[in-house]
Amino acid sequence: MDQLEQVIDTYGLIPQIEHIHTIRTLLQEECANSQREDHEYMRLLCVQLFSLGQLEDTRLIWQAKRLSMDSFVMIDVQLLCGAGLEQTKLYLLDIDEEEATAELAYLEKCESAGDFEDFSKEEWIEQAKLYYV
């Protein structure tokens, strides 16, 4: 059983909220893992956090997205907005840090480009279920 199967088997694609700290820790560990062979496992952890919809997870997902060109491509911009696009933008606006400002600018750029047109968290999760399960 590989990491993806193990995490899905243990926590499910849409985990229970009581597992959020474990999933955050797994994502932090994967971000620090310089030996990773691909970014699929990292993306799955981001999907799980996205599904739980906690505002503060946008920062961790942004960190994962910015690790490399591969992770930037693999981790969809929509995954930054599990709590909703507007709520995430307002959250980032209140944080006086360079990375939060960069993430907000990126979200606004992607929104202007149409990346959030017809965005629905529920539909996004349904697509993830087809992909992972």
Side-chain angles (χ1 to χ4, degrees):
M1 181 178 293
D2 69 7
Q3 283 181 308
L4 275 132
E5 293 170 326
Q6 185 176 2
V7 167
I8 291 173
D9 190 52
T10 303
Y11 305 108
L13 183 62
I14 303 170
Q16 299 297 313
I17 194 72
E18 61 260 18
H19 298 297
I20 196 165
H21 297 295
T22 302
I23 294 166
R24 285 174 179 159
T25 300
L26 291 172
L27 182 54
Q28 290 165 338
E29 289 170 355
E30 189 61 14
C31 286
N33 177 9
S34 62
Q35 303 301 314
R36 90 180 67 75
E37 294 181 19
D38 66 38
H39 294 81
E40 193 65 48
Y41 174 63
M42 183 183 297
R43 182 178 186 273
L44 170 63
L45 296 169
C46 292
V47 168
Q48 289 176 315
L49 291 176
F50 166 85
S51 74
L52 293 172
Q54 302 300 299
L55 275 171
E56 62 270 20
D57 288 326
T58 190
R59 307 287 308 281
L60 180 55
I61 295 168
W62 177 246
Q63 176 188 350
K65 184 170 182 60
R66 294 198 47 171
L67 280 177
S68 69
M69 184 56 119
D70 289 337
S71 64
F72 199 83
V73 171
M74 282 289 294
I75 300 171
D76 304 279
V77 65
Q78 293 83 0
L79 292 177
L80 297 169
C81 300
L85 176 60
E86 291 307 316
Q87 295 87 334
T88 302
K89 288 176 11 181
L90 289 172
Y91 172 75
L92 293 169
L93 194 58
D94 282 343
I95 300 172
D96 187 23
E97 292 178 12
E98 187 176 323
E99 281 303 309
T101 302
E103 181 181 351
L104 178 58
Y106 179 71
L107 284 173
E108 290 173 340
K109 176 183 164 193
C110 291
E111 181 181 21
S112 293
D115 291 333
F116 287 94
E117 196 169 303
D118 300 323
F119 172 67
S120 162
K121 180 179 175 179
E122 293 74 25
E123 287 180 26
W124 213 97
I125 290 172
E126 288 304 313
Q127 291 299 315
K129 284 179 184 176
L130 293 173
Y131 184 79
Y132 285 108
V133 183

